[in-house]
Amino acid sequence: MSLSASILAARQLLQEAAHIAVLSGAGISAESGVPTFRDAQTGLWAHLRPEDLATEDAFRRHPQRVWDWYAERRASLAEVQPNAGHRALAEFQHRHPGRLTVITQNVDGLHQRAGSTGVLALHGSLAADRWLDPCPAGRGPTACDVARADPGRPPRCAQCGNWVRPAVVWFGELLPEDQLRQAEQAASRCDAMLVVGTAGAVYPAAGLAHQARAAGARLIVVNPHPSELDGLAQLRLVGGAAQVLPPLLDF
Ligand code: APR
């Protein structure tokens, strides 16, 4: 089937769905210029080791190195914009209130910037900070804590020396309980799930696609390359998200 024929078939399937869940990954932001993780040449993990940069242990061993890497990613995010794929999802939500839930593994905030509401951000947010260890005073880091740090140095608490770290979910860490619970509810009650721009290699996020399928939802995968979730898909739309989502959701 050609891409345009598959888009038409998928569009029909979505039109019949009372509730749609979207599971997005790094690929949806690729056309905004944000690098993915696992693409062969351009993915971040093609040249860097996650265990050196995206674990609590890495931060404890080398806080400066990890802080610098996140500072670079934060700075480059300031230069990018949501693309037509993010916008198509947000516009669909506005036309059909309550019908589509966005579940994302992305920490780039582009779904939210495109205007999507109620986004379930399973892996946290690159824009936010939190303490590395629980704060004995029970407060979160403030802009003052961050501003007080030497330029370029990871901020620390003036009282106890606790480090400030990015509020993202690192390998080996638990997902935010409330977001995961809501994502599981959306996956088990949806009639159709759109799996967009994810390799489907990281759990528990990828498990949501299995959960949706097991509960009877139709799965549509949008990805220019094969993914680990292809076997669950009723339809595969082999193309980029910014190309495929606008005609798919134009109703
Ligand atoms: N449109 C849609 N999909 C695309 C596009 C595009 N324009 N370009 C690339 N892709 C696909 C790739 O083919 C790949 O399957 O996006 C997927 C990106 O996969 P990953 O880089 O593994 O990203 P993701 O699945 O989101 O990773 C999950 O891994 O390292 C962690 O915490 C990180 O949230 C991330 C998690």
Side-chain angles (χ1 to χ4, degrees), residues 193-217:
M193 179 179 265
L194 258 181
V195 178
V196 186
T198 179
V202 172
Y203 285 75
L208 295 167
H210 292 270
Q211 196 177 333
R213 189 73 200 85

Side-chain angles (χ1 to χ4, degrees), residues 6-17 235 248 251:
S6 330
I7 290 176
L8 274 182
R11 193 170 182 273
Q12 170 134 27
L13 204 149
L14 292 178
Q15 280 173 323
E16 290 162 7
L235 283 163
L248 180 64
F251 61 89

Side-chain angles (χ1 to χ4, degrees), residues 23 105 193 195-196 198-203 205-210 213 219-221 223 226-236:
L23 175 64
Q105 300 164 83
M193 179 179 265
V195 178
V196 186
T198 179
V202 172
Y203 285 75
L208 295 167
H210 292 270
R213 189 73 200 85
L219 249 80
I220 300 164
V221 166
N223 198 314
S227 84
E228 295 190 19
L229 299 173
D230 290 353
L232 300 175
Q234 176 106 359
L235 283 163
R236 283 186 62 216

Side-chain angles (χ1 to χ4, degrees), residues 25-27 30-31 36-39 45 105-106 123 171 197-200 202 222-225 239-241:
E31 286 152 284
T36 62
F37 295 95
R38 291 177 187 78
D39 277 285
W45 301 150
Q105 300 164 83
N106 298 346
H123 293 168
F171 286 99
T198 179
V202 172
V222 180
N223 198 314
H225 305 294

Side-chain angles (χ1 to χ4, degrees), residues 28-225:
I28 196 171
S29 299
E31 286 152 284
S32 291
V34 181
T36 62
F37 295 95
R38 291 177 187 78
D39 277 285
Q41 292 302 317
T42 53
L44 293 171
W45 301 150
H47 305 287
L48 302 164
R49 288 168 11 121
E51 56 272 37
D52 292 337
L53 295 163
T55 66
E56 182 183 322
D57 184 51
F59 186 84
R60 288 189 188 279
R61 278 185 291 119
H62 300 291
Q64 184 72 53
R65 177 163 78 194
V66 174
W67 185 258
D68 286 349
W69 188 63
Y70 280 92
E72 254 174 58
R73 288 178 61 200
R74 284 172 166 171
S76 53
L77 265 190
E79 310 290 316
V80 304
Q81 297 298 328
N83 64 49
H86 300 106
R87 286 197 300 275
L89 291 170
E91 286 160 14
F92 185 92
Q93 283 186 309
H94 288 283
R95 286 197 304 279
H96 302 273
R99 188 166 170 195
L100 183 146
T101 305
V102 177
I103 307 165
T104 189
Q105 300 164 83
N106 298 346
V107 295
D108 57 28
L110 291 179
H111 281 299
Q112 295 88 335
R113 280 172 57 194
S116 267
T117 50
V119 177
L120 301 171
L122 296 179
H123 293 168
S125 164
L126 200 49
D129 289 312
R130 67 176 176 86
W131 295 119
L132 180 60
D133 293 308
C135 172
R139 66 176 187 91
T142 62
C144 283
D145 293 307
V146 175
R148 216 183 286 122
D150 295 333
R153 302 281 299 164
R156 304 189 73 164
C157 172
Q159 271 80 49
C160 70
N162 200 355
W163 294 96
V164 173
R165 54 160 280 183
V168 297
V169 176
W170 281 330
F171 286 99
E173 294 185 325
L174 295 176
L175 272 55
E177 210 175 302
D178 189 45
Q179 308 274 302
L180 180 60
R181 190 179 41 76
Q182 291 184 58
E184 285 171 343
Q185 279 170 1
S188 54
R189 68 176 269 254
C190 69
D191 305 293
M193 179 179 265
L194 258 181
V195 178
V196 186
T198 179
V202 172
Y203 285 75
L208 295 167
H210 292 270
Q211 196 177 333
R213 189 73 200 85
R218 311 280 187 78
L219 249 80
I220 300 164
V221 166
V222 180
N223 198 314
H225 305 294

